Amino acid sequence: MTTAAAWKALQEAVRAGCPVGLWTRGQALARDGAVHGQSRAKDDWCFLVHGSARAAAATVHLYPADDDWDCDCEGQFRACEHVAACVAAVSASADAADALFQKSAASAVLRYRFERSGGGVIVRRLLCAEGVEPVMVRGPLLEAIARSGISMAATQGDLDVDRRLAREPDAPLDFGRAVFVLRALVTVEEIWLDDRKVSVSAEPLFPHAHVDDAGGGDVELVIEPDPAVTEIVGDGVLLAGDTLRPPGAATEFGTRWQRLPLRRRFRAAEIGDLVGKVLPELERHVTVDIRSARLPGRTQSATAWLRFEVDVVGGDVDVLPLLVYGDPPIARVDSGRLVHLGGDVPARDETRERELVMRLRDRLNLVPGRRTTFRGTDAARFLADLEQFDDGRARTTPLSLTGARRATLVARVEARDGDVHVYFETREEGGNARSVDADTVVSAWREGLGLVPLQGGGFAALPQQWLEQHGDLVADLLAARAANEGRTPPAAVDLVSELCDSLDVVAPPQTQRLRKLLEPETAEGDAIHAAFRGQLRGYQSAGSAWLQRLRSAGLGGVLADDMGLGKTVQTLAIVEGKTLVVCPRSVIHNWTAEIARFRPDLAVTLYHGPSRALSARAQDVTLTTYATLRNDIEALAAHEWDLVVLDESQNIKNSDSQAARAAFALRAKARIALSGTPIENRPSELWSQMHFANRGLLGGRSAFLERYEKPMLAGDARAAERLRRRVRPFLMRRLKSEVAPELPPRTEAVLYCELEAGERAIYDSVRAASRADIVRRMAAGASPLAALEALLRLRQAACHPGLLPGHQAEGSSKIEALRDALEDAVADGHKALVFSQWTSMLDRIEPHLRDASIDFARLDGSTRDRGAVVSQFQASDGPPVMLLSLTAGGTGLNLTAADHVFLTDPWWNPAVEDQAADRTHRIGQERPVMVYRLVAKDTVEERVLDLQSRKRAIAGAVLESGGAAAAITRDDILELLE
């Protein structure tokens, strides 16, 4: 027996590890008789402790020889109140310890009786006590104990079983419940099978398997119970002698235990599946005895891969993909079954098989074992994809094509019928030449295909090296023809010349004539109309000469000089014949004034307003607006114009807009587009204006997007260079810094202001809402530019809280900073322009200027007499400040009296801001110009400045010698909200 010294050491160890409160609670449990002995051995005394806050009695094991203990209460402290109660009860006296293990007359036990019932097993529970009739438990155990009046301490195992049996006490055990119940009853003594007392073990019994030879070359797999199994009592309950045990491999066999033994016969063709899949899986769970001599060996070295049987019949490609093991194959997978082809049987890797099948489906749209036929271009595209396909092994030899005839195409270029023709042909046995049209070859090359189908069958390999050198030129020529009803447009003269020069082919006479006309040989003075009054600067004279050369050749152009360099004057110098000028309404008066000043010989008709009418007699110049052009396109397109001029031609940058479609419909011998910002956002804006000036030069819009815009926005500098070469003869752009060095310097600076606490709180709340709105828009597929519009409220919050719906504020940090800067500028004798996108922002600036006694003028969309307002400001005694809206004051104004510009609300499009600043930094300005951007710190406005630099890169990539264009991405937009 355990010595007193051992018990004392155990008591001290428990006392040291038990918190004071738990130790006191344990002493109380011992005094109240809550400790009951279950069993005791030399080194393991087991107790039940009930009466605490637990529904079940806690089971405590004391190991006095080892100074150790264990309790199933899962309390926070290992030395819990239950262990303390047991130590206290044992240590009270030797008699007290013995008394703990003597059953009292009132104590009870819970008996479990397993009963066979119709092939299943039902578990009955009975409360048994001396002198009392057993009570059947048919519901929750604790309720049954309370109703019976019998004193019993339920164990955790009793309660675990109760959760599985209480609701359906008469239902036979299913497989899962049976296994759970057996494992929970391992420590219970009162277990009966019908009228026979048995024990329970948690150790499972597993089936046994063996493979035997069968007749006809077949083999048989037999799975039977462990020999120790006396009886399969029911689902999940096995009887081995006098012990109930759960079945092993429960997940794999489950209720099939009831049907053991199982037998399956495998034919000779199925032995591969048996050895490669069935047996390896079975051996993971049970012992398999191989008694057959017919099974082949196994190998782990063979891996799965996709093998393609490809036949070419004429122009068709017939392909059969196969999922195999080994190279050469030793097994094939058919409909999930492994077919043995000879040699050792591979161990199947079904995860790899699934990966290969999904790769085949996703990339080639094929299924293993299913034959598919591809025809024509689809066949060539498939072969190209197959060449690049990863079949799951390291391919060391080229793809083998049975029945394929392959030849290499040769490019042919001829100048005939006044045009250049490109085609491809190949010669085969017998001297027969077969040709392929250039569209098919270029399309295949651009798709990355290596082959094209030939008429009559077979395929030809593309001349890759030739296409790498000349393919882009041919593609541009084909696109230009497609956009010009199948004919090479005259504007493609430079393209045709470049192609002929690179291929050493004599260009057609018409091309040579046009090319000579475009050479800058004409004296600049010869380009100026005799009636022109005024003196052109050198660069202006060169611009007029360039426009005249284009016009003489029947071609159009885009004059994209920097704003303020006199594009209107350069155009008026060559106006002759019946001319239509389309411009924004805001600059009609400017055209009228410039014509009167430089070309008083021209008769002008203003085609604008409710009573507009086109004169029946010929007029020199007809002025109209874009809005009128949209509404009256049928009337304007009915006339044959000698010249059509689009001023501020960025108004047709969207080729799908009504204005652009109307401009395309105008009939004219020559076309000129004028814009200081021909590209504001995307290269396709230039396509629209160039399509107006020279239809077909850049191909159709979809071809342009695919060949130029998408690569440029993805960072392809080569695409930008190709586009510059195509438009160079028809686009002229000079910067002020290049041609007008006499202009005073223009300096740009940022004036930062800090939001006050109230403004910051409003801004942060709007930012959170804006981010959620933009994320929602992005998820719905909105374009980046559309999502940018969702930033409106956030930008307004950075400028003035009063711009937001539902908010009132007299001033803002930004307006205070603006007022201070204007006071300093006016005091120093400067005049200033103040721009805002919102007229409501101008409304809020006005009171602060009045309070500061600063006189001002204002020009916005509601201004009727724009000329009078401009004249008033330009006068030496005019107001020192002019408030302008970007929409109304960003174009067509000459405000050189000012030398300070304030932009109160920067936006993502830098071209709009540049146009505003150039109202004063233009020819005629004699003083240095300062441009200030007012930016609220730690707001979206700071990030807008970064975005502006990217936008400038898009235009610079085409109009200047810039690099790749920068795309505006969804990440850029979300970054604005950080």
Side-chain angles (χ1 to χ4, degrees):
M1 295 298 291
T2 305
T3 64
W7 279 111
K8 184 175 181 180
L10 177 64
Q11 183 182 21
E12 291 177 353
V14 173
R15 180 69 182 86
C18 187
V20 175
L22 295 184
W23 177 262
T24 303
R25 194 181 308 165
Q27 301 298 308
L29 288 173
R31 289 194 301 271
D32 295 341
V35 180
H36 300 272
Q38 288 290 99
S39 63
R40 59 178 170 177
K42 179 179 180 182
D43 297 322
D44 182 3
W45 288 38
C46 179
F47 303 87
L48 290 181
V49 182
H50 60 87
S52 64
R54 289 164 47 90
T59 301
V60 177
H61 289 268
L62 299 181
Y63 310 105
D66 299 324
D67 284 349
D68 202 3
W69 62 87
D70 189 22
C71 179
D72 65 356
C73 72
E74 299 181 355
Q76 181 179 0
F77 297 94
R78 187 166 179 269
C80 61
E81 68 265 35
H82 308 114
V83 176
C86 294
V87 170
V90 171
S91 302
S93 64
D95 293 338
D98 291 339
L100 293 175
F101 293 94
Q102 295 176 358
K103 293 183 179 180
S104 66
S107 65
V109 296
L110 185 61
R111 178 180 299 170
Y112 293 86
R113 187 171 67 199
F114 290 74
E115 298 179 356
R116 300 176 177 87
S117 175
V121 177
I122 299 174
V123 177
R124 305 293 187 189
R125 295 176 294 168
L126 296 95
L127 281 171
C128 301
E130 291 186 13
V132 180
E133 191 71 22
V135 177
M136 182 76 69
V137 178
R138 303 191 59 82
L141 175 61
L142 297 181
E143 294 181 8
I145 292 174
R147 287 195 303 268
S148 68
I150 297 175
S151 174
M152 177 191 166
T155 66
Q156 188 61 48
D158 293 329
L159 295 181
D160 290 342
V161 172
D162 186 58
R163 287 197 299 272
R164 298 295 179 117
L165 302 181
R167 291 187 177 181
E168 298 179 296
D170 298 323
L173 296 177
D174 57 29
F175 190 90
R177 286 202 305 162
V179 172
F180 180 88
V181 168
L182 287 178
R183 290 173 178 169
L185 297 180
V186 170
T187 60
V188 176
E189 293 185 2
E190 290 292 328
I191 308 293
W192 295 71
L193 176 61
D194 293 329
D195 296 326
R196 172 186 175 187
K197 189 172 183 179
V198 295
S199 61
V200 171
S201 171
E203 188 70 24
L205 290 171
F206 291 87
H208 287 192
H210 54 87
V211 180
D212 304 301
D213 289 332
D218 298 348
V219 297
E220 185 179 48
L221 172 64
V222 180
I223 303 175
E224 54 193 7
D226 186 298
V229 175
T230 307
E231 177 187 354
I232 300 175
V233 180
D235 285 346
V237 181
L238 305 178
L239 179 63
D242 291 330
T243 304
L244 298 179
R245 297 174 65 174
T251 303
E252 291 69 33
F253 291 95
T255 58
R256 287 186 295 173
W257 269 91
Q258 290 283 64
R259 301 197 300 273
L260 295 181
L262 297 174
R263 299 177 182 274
R264 180 180 171 185
R265 195 177 182 111
F266 289 82
R267 298 187 300 274
E270 298 174 312
I271 288 180
D273 206 35
L274 170 66
V275 176
K277 179 180 178 180
V278 176
L279 292 182
E281 179 65 25
L282 190 61
E283 287 172 339
R284 292 173 52 198
H285 312 290
V286 303
T287 301
V288 181
D289 184 12
I290 306 298
R291 303 172 184 173
S292 170
R294 297 172 180 167
L295 298 189
R298 305 184 206 179
T299 177
Q300 299 287 336
S301 62
T303 58
W305 61 285
L306 290 165
R307 181 172 180 268
F308 295 90
E309 294 182 359
V310 182
D311 295 326
V312 178
V313 182
D316 298 345
V317 172
D318 185 89
V319 58
L320 175 64
L322 298 171
L323 180 57
V324 300
Y325 279 85
D327 189 8
I330 59 175
R332 182 180 69 247
V333 179
D334 285 348
S335 301
R337 183 169 58 87
L338 190 72
V339 178
H340 183 222
L341 302 177
D344 292 340
V345 174
R348 290 188 66 176
D349 185 346
E350 294 189 82
T351 299
R352 178 176 173 82
E353 290 178 17
R354 285 192 295 270
E355 291 175 353
L356 290 171
V357 170
M358 292 179 65
R359 185 189 306 169
L360 182 67
R361 180 199 64 189
D362 294 343
R363 301 184 185 177
L364 297 181
N365 198 28
L366 297 176
V367 176
R370 182 182 301 171
R371 191 176 296 275
T372 304
T373 300
F374 297 91
R375 293 181 170 83
T377 304
D378 289 338
R381 185 176 293 108
F382 167 73
L383 291 177
D385 291 341
L386 187 57
E387 288 280 4
Q388 303 299 321
F389 182 74
D390 180 6
D391 60 12
R393 57 168 186 155
R395 185 185 297 174
T396 57
T397 58
L399 186 66
S400 175
L401 304 180
T402 304
R405 290 186 295 168
R406 298 177 66 168
T408 300
L409 288 174
V410 178
R412 305 296 187 196
V413 182
E414 297 178 1
R416 65 174 187 273
D417 303 327
D419 204 348
V420 173
H421 299 271
V422 181
Y423 61 96
F424 297 82
E425 68 176 14
T426 182
R427 292 188 180 274
E428 302 179 25
E429 295 180 5
N432 296 323
R434 294 196 288 175
S435 62
V436 182
D437 64 88
D439 282 306
T440 300
V441 172
V442 171
S443 295
W445 172 63
R446 289 188 56 75
E447 282 192 55
L449 307 183
L451 301 172
V452 290
L454 296 172
Q455 291 185 354
F459 295 86
L462 299 183
Q464 296 289 352
Q465 185 175 358
W466 190 94
L467 288 169
E468 287 297 326
Q469 293 177 344
H470 312 295
D472 284 321
L473 286 172
V474 176
D476 284 342
L477 180 62
L478 296 175
R481 284 177 177 163
N484 196 48
E485 300 177 350
R487 300 187 302 274
T488 302
V493 55
D494 200 55
L495 170 60
V496 173
S497 298
E498 185 178 349
L499 182 61
C500 290
D501 290 346
S502 64
L503 298 175
D504 198 20
V505 174
V506 178
Q510 174 70 5
T511 298
Q512 297 181 47
R513 186 183 69 83
L514 288 175
R515 190 176 189 182
K516 188 172 183 62
L517 284 174
L518 293 178
E519 293 176 356
E521 297 176 350
T522 305
E524 294 177 355
D526 295 342
I528 301 174
H529 196 278
F532 182 81
R533 293 184 180 179
Q535 183 66 41
L536 292 178
R537 294 168 179 267
Y539 75 88
Q540 292 175 330
S541 183
S544 296
W546 174 75
L547 290 174
Q548 184 60 36
R549 289 196 301 273
L550 290 177
R551 182 174 182 175
S552 299
L555 301 171
V558 177
L559 182 56
D561 281 346
D562 211 351
M563 291 164 285
L565 292 183
K567 293 185 288 293
T568 303
V569 175
Q570 295 176 66
T571 304
L572 287 176
I574 68 153
V575 167
E576 186 175 8
K578 192 175 181 180
T579 301
L580 174 67
V581 176
V582 184
C583 60
R585 183 176 67 86
S586 60
V587 300
I588 280 186
H589 77 280
N590 185 64
W591 270 92
T592 303
E594 297 287 88
I595 291 173
R597 178 183 176 188
F598 295 103
R599 290 294 302 274
D601 61 304
L602 296 176
V604 179
T605 296
L606 183 60
Y607 186 66
H608 176 63
S611 58
R612 62 185 178 272
L614 284 173
S615 175
R617 64 184 181 89
Q619 295 291 321
D620 293 322
V621 176
T622 299
L623 291 174
T624 191
T625 66
Y626 285 99
T628 304
L629 174 64
R630 291 195 304 268
N631 296 329
D632 294 12
I633 182 55
E634 292 185 6
L636 293 169
H639 288 257
E640 179 75 32
W641 306 93
D642 292 306
L643 176 64
V644 172
V645 179
L646 297 188
D647 190 17
E648 303 293 351
S649 59
Q650 69 271 12
N651 280 277
I652 67 164
K653 63 184 180 182
N654 180 0
S655 59
D656 293 327
S657 67
Q658 291 181 342
R661 291 198 296 267
F664 299 156
L666 293 172
R667 296 187 298 142
K669 296 176 183 178
R671 300 160 180 257
I672 296 175
L674 308 176
S675 175
T677 56
I679 300 178
E680 295 181 344
N681 303 305
R682 311 181 73 87
S684 55
E685 296 170 358
L686 178 62
W687 177 90
S688 184
Q689 296 164 77
M690 196 60 73
H691 187 69
F692 159 78
N694 292 301
R695 185 184 303 273
L697 172 64
L698 298 179
R701 185 173 184 273
S702 59
F704 180 86
L705 295 177
E706 192 66 31
R707 287 183 40 70
Y708 289 108
E709 180 163 295
K710 288 182 180 179
M712 289 175 65
L713 294 181
D716 187 349
R718 291 179 55 195
E721 174 57 31
R722 292 202 317 269
L723 181 55
R724 282 196 297 273
R725 288 205 312 269
R726 291 288 78 79
V727 302
R728 185 179 294 126
F730 311 103
L731 186 145
M732 178 174 283
R733 178 171 177 79
R734 280 82 58 90
L735 302 178
K736 294 174 186 174
S737 58
E738 298 171 345
V739 299
E742 72 277 11
L743 271 179
R746 166 178 158 176
T747 304
E748 298 189 7
V750 178
L751 292 180
Y752 289 102
C753 60
E754 294 276 1
L755 297 184
E756 294 182 353
E759 294 175 294
R760 173 60 63 183
I762 294 173
Y763 177 85
D764 289 342
S765 64
V766 174
R767 181 180 62 177
S770 297
R771 184 177 182 87
D773 181 37
I774 288 178
V775 170
R776 177 184 57 78
R777 291 191 184 207
M778 292 299 190
S783 70
L785 292 180
L788 282 173
E789 297 302 323
L791 294 171
L792 173 63
R793 296 302 181 205
L794 193 58
R795 294 177 55 235
Q796 290 176 329
C799 289
H800 195 296
L803 298 176
L804 300 170
H807 290 270
Q808 299 293 330
E810 293 183 0
S812 70
S813 300
K814 181 172 288 190
I815 288 182
E816 290 179 5
L818 173 64
R819 182 185 61 192
D820 293 343
L822 287 175
E823 286 179 340
D824 291 341
V826 172
D828 291 337
H830 299 287
K831 283 195 172 188
L833 307 179
V834 178
F835 286 93
S836 176
Q837 181 182 353
W838 308 294
T839 57
S840 54
M841 182 67 173
L842 301 179
D843 294 340
R844 286 164 171 79
I845 294 172
E846 285 190 7
H848 293 270
L849 297 183
R850 294 191 186 99
D851 291 343
S853 299
I854 298 176
D855 194 13
F856 62 90
R858 175 165 171 168
L859 192 152
D860 56 35
S862 64
T863 304
R864 294 301 179 188
D865 193 348
R866 294 165 56 92
V869 174
V870 171
S871 298
Q872 178 192 10
F873 178 76
Q874 287 286 94
S876 59
D877 58 349
V881 174
M882 177 180 278
L883 304 179
L884 305 98
S885 67
L886 277 177
T887 303
T891 58
L893 296 177
N894 189 331
L895 300 171
T896 53
D899 58 3
H900 279 49
V901 178
F902 293 89
L903 302 167
T904 64
D905 36 73
W907 187 217
W908 55 271
N909 191 344
V912 175
E913 294 185 355
D914 290 339
Q915 286 177 333
D918 282 319
R919 295 314 95 208
T920 183
H921 191 245
R922 58 198 301 118
I923 300 300
Q925 179 61 263
E926 298 178 351
R927 292 178 294 177
V929 174
M930 291 295 303
V931 180
Y932 296 101
R933 289 177 172 83
L934 276 75
V935 173
K937 293 196 68 174
D938 299 323
T939 70
V940 66
E941 293 184 336
E942 286 188 305
R943 291 163 182 85
V944 164
L945 297 183
D946 295 333
L947 185 56
Q948 285 181 346
S949 64
R950 302 189 191 185
K951 301 289 289 184
R952 286 191 172 93
I954 294 176
V958 179
L959 304 180
E960 303 163 20
S961 57
I968 298 176
T969 66
R970 285 166 166 76
D971 291 339
D972 293 332
I973 295 168
L974 294 177
E975 186 178 334
L976 291 175
L977 298 172
E978 293 299 328

